[in-house]
């Protein structure tokens, strides 16, 4: 259904003022006495206990890092440890109301948050399910270490399990929560609702929005809390995440029970510093961080500053904000004021702040203050408080011993299996749907106007008489992608898609035309112009268990989603210890005609990044089969589509593009024409000029060229290419990417290694020039042309009788261009 929201000039042109309401700052003012009806003694003592455990955990790590010793136990931890001594009340207050269905995301400084959330989950879970969670995690290997010789309750065992899983992870041990592949800045444990912490400042800013979308779209219980630092408010992904989370459409266009805001709290752990930069007074201009909420939406994001030095103030805020979320009025922004007594890292000399300042905050230390309050109110005697602190130290001494004992806590054994991490990069799953259920659609597939119109199209480029089919009647490459996408929407209830102009516009270049009619808003929607968050939210949605297609309108805009594509999407499967799967397809349209910032083929850049599958089909048959595979899998796939060839018909597959479902395995190149004299390997749209080259070679020199369409960059089965080279002894590689540092060069080098003895000449790469891409009228001087390929064959592989080259492929020219860097 197309959107219908008329914009009336009379209304939008009328004069008025924007009124901002009040944003509460540290308004909590209840005494413990007044809070007694909300907390039992046991609750209050638990809050104290949880803060103490976190303090001891971080103190132990600080001592290990700075003195290599804790309680007489010596250990050298070479890795990072960004500690949160001072921030315990903020962490415990944040986690207190949350249970395992509530997800937290974090930052490089999240040990305290992990422990607080874990402790809260342990408190709320029944013993049976708690034990099952521990027993089934990595087949019980983490539990086995702490269970051995343990005599206590399940809840006490769970405390040991939590501390051990986190510490072993920090020390890169195989029994850690993420098999030691996450480490201090990325440790997490999803069964307790602890989702990835992120070493990239602000990295969780958009990923957490995707998690909230997952909960909303799939009607899952719980809320999402994005714990990030005050300095991350300067980061693009955070601003983009906030815009994405606060879109009007959740209230104006999403229908039925989907109408309403996201279940999300951006909780800024505001310790007033970046590393050394002061966010208030130096590096930011917000003065009080909560102010930012005022500009975001008319609800001002329900923004508030809370005193994160008082756990009860934070709990109070979370209780109130949960109500806001229950009423579907999210997202919420909390500015939780706290202070980091510890350095940014243990090597930090705190040269950027005065001793007086640190001492002033130490005087108000939350554990000290809260302990005194409990004592004064008669909740706990000094002895009990001391006992809690002593027990925490005892447990941590025990856990430290276990965590550094190589016999029970070894690192992953890369001696025994040097390829172990390689095996963890992809999950290689195959699922029709990520969850059972009935997909929500607005009409039967057969009644969809686009589906009906495609039915009438010719699925091969020539009709039965062998005449070319007109464009209007031709089944095009874009139709292949559409068929795979709509088919999956009718199969997988979790599938959602978003990007710029994905809905009424019909998707960029009309690939999605017809989808709007078939799908409700919550399964297909227009995003803000936020390429970072388009990908970041897809990552969050995928890691929570949903399948998703995100779209980047032009490949050139991938730069805007650099961190998400290069640092987040490829890494979480392996960094989680394979706890997480990532069924995320990023469609990337490679432009043409629009010049230097709209026409680049950056497939080589993503192919360089370990952890991404990279696909680039050039025919309708391949596009449909590869999209089907991408959408059947559980790995991140960057799916390149060239705008030059969206309207080509199928020229290669006999019988045209099948109507039914089929998959083409990702990683298999395809021989588009057989030949004996030379191999031409092409990636993407250059397939078509290459076919011209093959014709010319045949006509003029009687040479038969074997044309191989790579179809995929990663993974890539070289067998097909090597067998071809064995036969032809010669190979040219071509694509629209600028040649320097391209994936073609990587392929040429691999082919040289694998088939050196079979080659008559070195593999020759014919890529685009190392320039800006000029206007359409001059594109033929930039992108590989049939003439260039023939000249390159003539100049570098085999002289072609009588050929007069127009381009220079001499060694001298190559040296000159490289010397000049162009
Ligand atoms: C994108 C990025 N830039 C810089 C860094 C280096 N760095 C690590 S922590 C940090 C300061 C972050 O401050 P804030 O977000 O307030 O969190 P805090 O450290 O105070 O908990 C910086 C600059 C990084 N990890 N990621
Ligand atoms: Mg900070």
């Amino acid at each position: 259904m197309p959107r219908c929201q008329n914009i009336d000039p009379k209304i939008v042109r009328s004069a008025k003022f924007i009124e901002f309401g009040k944003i509460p700052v540290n308004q909590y003012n209840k005494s413990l006495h007044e809070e007694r009806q909300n907390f039992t003694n046991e609750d209050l003592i638990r809050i104290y206990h949880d803060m103490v455990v976190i303090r001891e955990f971080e103190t132990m790590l600080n001592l290990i890092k700075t003195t290599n010793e804790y309680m007489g136990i010596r250990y050298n931890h070479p890795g990072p440890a960004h500690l949160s001594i001072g921030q315990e009340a903020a962490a415990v207050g944040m986690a207190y109301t949350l249970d395992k269905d509530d997800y937290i995301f974090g930052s490089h400084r999240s040990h305290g948050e992990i422990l607080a959330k874990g402790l809260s989950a342990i408190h709320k879970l029944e013993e049976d399910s708690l034990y099952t969670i521990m027993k089934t995690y990595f087949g019980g290997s983490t539990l086995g270490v702490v269970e051995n010789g343990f005599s206590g309750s399940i809840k006490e065992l769970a405390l040991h399990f939590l501390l051990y899983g986190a510490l072993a992870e920090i020390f890169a041990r195989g029994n850690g929560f993420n098999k030691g592949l996450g480490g201090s800045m990325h440790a997490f444990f999803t069964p307790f609702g602890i989702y990835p912490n992120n070493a990239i400042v602000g990295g969780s800013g958009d990923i957490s929005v995707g998690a909230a979308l997952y909960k909303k779209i799939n009607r899952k219980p719980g809320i999402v809390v994005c714990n990030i630092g005050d300095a991350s408010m300067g980061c693009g992904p955070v601003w983009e995440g906030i815009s994405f989370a606060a879109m009007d459409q959740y209230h104006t266009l999403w229908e039925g029970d989907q109408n309403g805001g996201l279940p999300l709290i951006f909780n800024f752990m505001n310790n007033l510093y970046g590393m050394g930069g002061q966010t208030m007074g130096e590096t930011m201009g917000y003065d009080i961080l909560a102010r930012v909420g005022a500009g975001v939406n008319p609800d001002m994001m329900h923004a508030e500053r809370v005193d994160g030095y008082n756990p009860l103030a934070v709990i109070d805020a979370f209780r109130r904000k949960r109500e806001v979320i229950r009423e579907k009025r999210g997202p919420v922004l909390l500015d939780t004021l706290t202070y980091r007594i510890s350095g940014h890292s243990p090597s930090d000399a705190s040269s950027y702040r005065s001793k007086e300042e640190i001492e002033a905050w130490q005087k108000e230390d939350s554990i000290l203050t809260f302990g005194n309050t409990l004592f004064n109110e008669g909740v706990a005697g000094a002895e009990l408080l001391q006992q809690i602190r002593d027990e925490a130290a005892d447990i941590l001494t025990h856990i430290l011993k276990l965590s550094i004992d190589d016999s029970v806590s070894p690192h992953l054994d890369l001696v025994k299996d040097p390829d172990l991490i390689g095996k963890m990069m992809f999950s290689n799953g195959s699922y029709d749907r990520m969850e059972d259920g009935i997909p929500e659609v607005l009409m039967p597939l057969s009644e969809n106007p686009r589906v009906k119109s495609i039915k009438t199209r010719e699925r091969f480029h020539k009709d039965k008489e062998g005449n070319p089919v007109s464009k209007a009647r031709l089944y095009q490459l874009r139709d292949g992608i559409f068929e795979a996408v709509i088919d999956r929407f009718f199969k997988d209830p979790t599938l959602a898609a978003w990007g710029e102009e994905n809905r009424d516009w019909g998707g960029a270049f009309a690939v999605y035309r017809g989808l709007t009619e078939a799908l409700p808003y919550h399964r297909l929607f227009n995003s803000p112009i936020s390429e970072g968050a388009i990908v970041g939210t897809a990552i969050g949605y995928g890691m929570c268990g949903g399948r998703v297609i995100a779209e980047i309108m032009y490949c050139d805009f991938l730069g805007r989603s650099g961190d998400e594509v290069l640092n987040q999407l490829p890494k979480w499967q392996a960094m989680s210890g394979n706890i997480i799967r990532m069924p995320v397809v990023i469609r990337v349209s490679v432009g043409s005609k629009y010049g230097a910032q709209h026409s680049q083929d950056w497939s080589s850049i993503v192919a360089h990044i370990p952890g991404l599958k990279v696909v680039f089909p050039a025919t309708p048959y391949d596009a449909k089969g590869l999209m089907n595979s991408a959408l059947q899998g559980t790995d991140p796939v960057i799916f390149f589509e060239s705008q030059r060839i969206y309207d080509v018909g199928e020229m290669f597959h006999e019988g045209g593009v099948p109507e039914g479902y089929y998959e083409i395995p990702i990683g298999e190149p395809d021989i588009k024409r057989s030949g004996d004299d030379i191999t031409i390997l092409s990636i993407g749209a250059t397939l078509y000029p290459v076919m011209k080259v093959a014709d010319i070679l045949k006509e003029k020199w009687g040479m038969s060229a074997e044309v191989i369409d790579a179809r995929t960059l990663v993974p890539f089965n070289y067998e097909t290419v090597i067998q071809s080279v064995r036969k032809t002894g010669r190979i040219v590689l071509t694509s629209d990417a600028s040649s320097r540092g391209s994936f073609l060069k990587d392929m040429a080098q691999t082919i040289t290694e694998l088939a050196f003895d079979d080659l008559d000449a070195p593999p020759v790469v014919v890529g685009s020039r190392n320039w800006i891409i000029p206007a359409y009228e001059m594109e033929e001087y930039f992108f590989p042309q049939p003439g260039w390929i023939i000249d390159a064959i003539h100049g570098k592989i085999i002289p072609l009788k009588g050929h007069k080259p127009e381009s220079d492929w001499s060694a001298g020219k190559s040296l000159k261009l490289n010397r000049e860097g162009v």
Side-chain angles (χ1 to χ4, degrees):
M1 239 188 327
R3 176 194 56 221
C4 186
Q5 296 188 119
N6 291 338
I7 300 173
D8 183 345
K10 294 256 176 323
I11 295 173
V12 295
R13 294 190 69 219
S14 64
K16 62 178 181 180
F17 290 97
I18 298 174
E19 308 273 355
F20 292 95
K22 286 184 178 171
I23 292 184
V25 175
N26 300 328
Q27 286 294 317
Y28 176 86
N29 62 359
K30 288 188 198 144
S31 68
L32 179 57
H33 194 69
E34 289 167 293
E35 283 277 31
R36 291 308 294 271
Q37 81 251 34
N38 295 323
F39 297 92
T40 63
N41 279 5
E42 207 185 305
D43 294 335
L44 295 167
I45 291 168
R46 178 160 69 87
I47 292 167
Y48 181 79
H49 165 269
D50 291 0
M51 293 200 293
V52 166
V53 168
I54 296 170
R55 170 70 56 92
E56 196 60 31
F57 188 92
E58 297 287 70
T59 304
M60 175 269 295
L61 275 172
N62 196 37
L63 288 166
I64 290 287
K65 282 297 292 182
T66 53
T67 68
N68 289 347
E69 187 171 333
Y70 173 76
M71 302 284 179
I73 305 164
R74 295 194 62 77
Y75 185 62
N76 172 36
H77 168 55
H82 298 92
L83 308 177
S84 55
I85 297 172
Q87 302 187 190
E88 298 84 355
V92 172
M94 174 275 298
Y96 185 86
T97 61
L98 307 182
D99 66 27
K100 71 164 183 33
D101 291 329
D102 300 313
Y103 295 171
I104 62 165
F105 286 78
S107 71
H108 56 286
R109 195 181 307 290
S110 284
H111 300 166
E113 296 149 16
I114 302 171
L115 297 183
K117 179 67 163 68
L119 289 163
S120 181
I122 291 170
H123 178 74
K124 294 185 174 83
L125 277 161
E126 298 290 331
E127 293 203 337
D128 279 358
S129 33
L130 191 51
Y131 191 72
T132 307
I133 286 173
M134 298 192 286
K135 190 76 196 160
T136 49
Y137 201 73
F138 294 146
S141 63
T142 306
L143 176 65
V145 177
V146 287
E147 202 176 24
N148 189 16
F150 183 85
S151 61
S153 70
I154 299 284
K155 299 254 170 178
E156 285 162 353
L157 178 64
L159 170 63
H160 284 225
F161 173 84
L162 174 69
L163 295 172
Y164 172 71
L167 189 59
E169 184 57 37
I170 292 167
F171 291 161
R173 308 285 168 157
N175 286 328
F177 280 152
N178 314 107
K179 292 198 186 294
L181 294 174
S184 163
M185 296 193 281
H186 314 107
F188 61 103
F189 185 70
T190 54
F192 287 168
I194 305 166
Y195 273 70
N197 300 300
N198 215 303
I200 301 299
V201 172
S204 291
D206 51 13
I207 294 176
S208 59
V209 180
L213 278 166
Y214 172 77
K215 286 208 179 284
K216 181 175 173 61
I217 293 170
N218 298 286
R219 300 179 174 85
K220 301 289 179 190
I223 67 168
V224 175
V225 179
C226 173
N227 292 310
I228 41 182
D230 47 308
S232 79
M233 191 52 105
C235 299
V238 174
W239 284 95
E240 289 196 2
I242 287 175
S243 313
F244 213 107
M247 287 189 291
D248 282 339
Q249 63 177 291
Y250 305 124
H251 304 279
T252 54
L253 295 169
W254 292 34
E255 287 174 333
D257 67 334
Q258 288 289 344
N259 186 269
L262 288 191
L264 176 62
I265 299 180
F266 289 97
N267 182 40
F268 288 86
M269 291 289 190
N270 186 353
N271 58 17
L272 306 161
Y273 284 93
M275 286 168 62
Q278 267 178 348
T279 48
M280 186 182 70
E282 187 185 6
T283 60
M284 299 297 288
Y286 48 53
D287 176 35
I288 293 174
L289 190 149
R291 180 193 311 278
V292 171
V296 173
N297 61 11
D299 281 336
M300 304 202 304
M301 292 187 80
H302 315 275
E304 195 170 319
R305 166 169 282 186
V306 276
D307 177 12
Y309 249 41
N310 179 355
L312 302 188
V314 184
I315 293 168
D316 171 76
F318 269 82
R319 280 193 173 137
R320 286 183 289 106
K321 300 307 176 186
R322 278 187 89 96
E323 263 316 284
V324 169
I325 285 174
R326 204 184 52 73
E327 291 162 2
K328 298 188 175 182
R329 294 190 292 130
V332 165
L333 187 155
L334 277 182
D335 169 3
T336 301
L337 184 67
T338 181
Y339 192 79
R340 151 170 74 66
I341 303 288
S342 42
H344 162 70
S345 59
S347 60
D348 169 5
S350 284
S351 52
Y352 50 87
R353 53 183 179 175
S354 67
K355 243 175 80 195
E356 292 73 34
E357 180 184 295
I358 300 175
E359 281 166 10
W361 284 89
Q362 269 173 325
K363 255 195 212 144
E364 306 202 359
D365 179 53
S366 57
I367 297 184
L368 200 69
T369 315
F370 193 65
N372 288 342
T373 315
L374 296 188
F375 179 82
N376 294 337
E377 185 63 23
V379 176
E383 227 168 82
L384 175 60
L385 299 178
Q386 184 60 45
Q387 187 191 333
I388 290 171
R389 294 196 293 272
D390 291 346
E391 276 176 14
D394 288 347
I395 294 176
L396 276 157
T397 308
H398 173 63
I399 295 298
L400 174 62
K401 278 188 199 146
L402 289 178
S403 303
I404 63 174
D405 179 346
D406 291 340
S407 67
V408 292
S409 304
H411 302 283
L412 287 185
D413 194 346
L414 291 167
V415 175
K416 194 162 134 213
D417 185 356
D419 295 328
L420 191 59
I421 296 175
K423 290 174 190 159
M424 300 174 78
M425 294 303 293
F426 296 117
S427 44
N428 289 316
S430 174
Y431 297 92
D432 290 349
R433 55 190 64 82
M434 296 307 292
E435 226 175 68
D436 287 337
I438 298 164
E440 282 170 80
V441 291
L442 301 177
M443 56 175 53
L445 188 60
S446 57
E447 284 175 24
N448 182 266
R450 173 92 177 269
V451 171
K452 279 195 203 156
S453 122
I454 287 178
K455 272 236 167 330
T456 65
R457 301 266 170 93
E458 292 287 343
R459 301 177 82 97
F460 194 64
H461 75 129
K462 286 187 178 156
D463 63 18
K464 285 187 193 82
E465 287 75 44
N467 299 317
V469 175
S470 74
K471 257 193 192 152
R473 284 175 48 228
L474 188 62
Y475 179 102
Q476 304 176 351
L477 189 143
R478 55 164 62 83
D479 298 321
I481 298 168
F482 171 80
E483 276 193 339
V485 167
I486 197 162
D487 174 67
R488 188 66 55 172
F489 266 114
F490 279 70
K491 256 188 205 155
D492 185 343
T494 73
L495 181 63
W498 54 81
E500 292 154 21
E501 321 309 343
N502 267 199
R503 218 178 143 84
D504 318 71
W505 188 277
F509 314 100
V511 174
Y512 282 170
R513 190 167 293 156
L515 274 189
T516 300
E517 289 82 344
L519 299 168
Y521 268 94
H522 63 277
R523 300 193 73 199
L524 176 76
F525 60 89
N526 290 337
S527 72
I529 313 305
S530 303
E531 285 79 7
I534 289 170
V535 179
T537 50
I539 295 168
Y541 191 89
M543 68 166 57
C544 290
R547 188 172 260 141
V548 54
I549 310 172
E551 183 188 316
I552 300 294
M553 189 190 272
Y554 277 80
C555 184
D556 313 66
F557 312 157
L558 262 186
R560 280 283 179 91
S561 46
D563 184 53
E564 288 79 358
V565 173
L566 309 180
N567 243 336
Q568 308 289 347
L569 184 64
K571 296 184 177 170
W572 285 111
Q573 294 202 88
M575 278 210 297
S576 71
N578 284 170
I579 290 295
I580 271 175
R581 289 179 303 191
M582 194 62 80
V584 175
V585 175
I586 309 288
R587 291 183 47 236
V588 179
S589 180
V590 179
S592 87
K593 300 187 185 172
Y594 273 35
Q597 296 181 327
H598 275 69
S599 313
Q600 296 166 98
D601 171 348
W602 276 350
S603 53
S604 302
I605 294 179
V606 292
H608 175 68
I609 304 300
L612 296 173
K613 291 186 174 175
V614 184
V615 174
F616 202 160
T619 70
Y621 174 72
D622 291 344
K624 179 173 172 181
L626 284 164
M627 181 57 90
N628 278 335
S629 291
L631 290 173
Q632 178 78 12
T634 53
D635 290 308
V637 178
I638 311 290
F639 199 95
F640 286 96
E641 303 162 17
S642 170
Q643 287 169 28
R644 292 173 197 287
I645 54 172
Y646 269 135
D647 56 6
V648 295
E650 179 55 42
M651 301 177 191
F652 301 94
H653 189 73
E654 288 297 321
V657 182
E659 284 188 29
Y661 181 83
Y662 63 94
E663 288 174 23
I664 291 176
I666 294 178
E668 293 297 329
D670 185 45
I671 298 173
K672 291 288 195 271
R673 181 183 292 184
S674 302
D676 298 319
D677 301 321
I678 188 163
T679 306
I680 310 181
L681 175 60
S682 159
I683 302 177
T686 47
L687 174 65
Y688 297 93
V690 162
M691 294 309 292
K692 275 192 200 142
V693 170
D695 288 342
I696 296 168
L697 288 173
K698 187 91 209 164
E699 273 165 33
K700 288 200 171 168
W701 294 284
M703 275 175 84
S704 76
E706 178 138 299
V707 177
I708 304 180
D709 176 4
R711 300 200 291 198
T712 309
L713 288 78
V714 185
F716 189 80
N717 181 2
Y718 276 95
E719 287 292 343
T720 310
V721 178
I722 299 308
Q723 269 173 28
S724 175
V725 168
R726 229 164 251 157
K727 181 171 59 173
T728 63
R730 307 168 180 124
I731 184 164
V732 182
L733 303 96
T734 189
S735 87
D736 284 336
S738 283
S739 70
R740 186 178 57 235
S742 67
F743 196 65
L744 295 177
K745 298 273 186 177
D746 193 77
M747 289 176 131
Q749 188 269 342
T750 308
I751 293 163
T752 308
E753 263 178 32
L754 294 175
F756 188 69
D757 292 341
D758 299 301
L759 284 165
D760 294 341
V764 171
V765 167
V766 182
S768 289
R769 307 304 303 264
N770 300 307
W771 303 344
I772 59 161
I773 300 174
Y776 179 59
E777 293 82 347
M778 294 174 275
E779 272 188 356
E780 66 187 277
Y781 301 95
F782 179 86
F783 291 114
Q785 303 295 313
W788 299 10
I789 298 174
I790 289 168
D791 289 353
I793 294 171
H794 174 73
K796 307 198 94 163
I797 299 180
I798 181 171
L800 301 170
K801 207 162 166 223
H803 178 62
K804 289 209 172 45
E806 287 180 1
S807 53
D808 185 355
W809 291 84
S810 67
K813 178 75 186 250
S814 171
L815 282 168
K816 178 177 182 294
L817 292 178
N818 278 295
R819 199 163 50 235
E820 291 168 358
V822 293

